Amino acid sequence: MQRQSRGETLKREDFPEACYVFDPKRFGEIKDFFFLGGFAAVKGRLAEVLQEADLGAGGLIQVPVFEADKQTELPGPFYALNLTVRKDTFRADESVNLNALRTIERAGMELWQQYANENDQIAVSALALEEGPDLWIDPKLKSTLFLSGALMTAIRQARIKEGYLRLLRCRIVD
């Protein structure tokens, strides 16, 4: 899971072989974006939209999900996200609602946690607008996915309910 959050390319065997649901009521309430065995995961219309998107070298890894009896497979499909694209676009100096988690002086890198709850609180450089994959992470910002404008449009057109996927617009700065 830590390797996934850093955007490292994972192999199929790095993901869960299968997952099991021990709280069917709670699992029945999940939206199209959720966490599966600790991995960012998708299902339904969001999975369909992402299958059409440019996810770089990563993509969607199908993971079977079973009831607590470990025999009865739940109707899916369910997919873990193989997040392989990293872009260095986050601008902490122009963003608000941040908390510095740690600084790695040897590497000259800082790790931030964001608490954005409104559009434009997270600032990114114009590099975020460049062509390339539609979904990426920034190694300086923990627990945040960045989506291209085209992917945002596709998600909104599909009328996907956000759930854990809080969609906020970033502010572009130079």
Side-chain angles (χ1 to χ4, degrees), residues 132-167:
D134 292 311
L135 181 68
W136 69 92
I137 62 166
D138 188 298
K140 295 182 307 242
L141 191 59
K142 182 178 171 67
S143 303
T144 303
L145 296 175
F146 290 91
L147 288 70
S148 69
L151 182 53
M152 284 291 300
T153 298
I155 288 171
R156 290 219 164 99
Q157 287 175 345
R159 298 177 190 256
I160 295 167
K161 295 188 180 185
E162 294 182 21
Y164 286 117
L165 186 66
R166 290 187 359 215
L167 302 175

Side-chain angles (χ1 to χ4, degrees), residues 32-43:
D32 285 0
F33 179 84
F34 61 104
F35 290 89
L36 188 62
F39 289 90
V42 296
K43 67 178 182 101

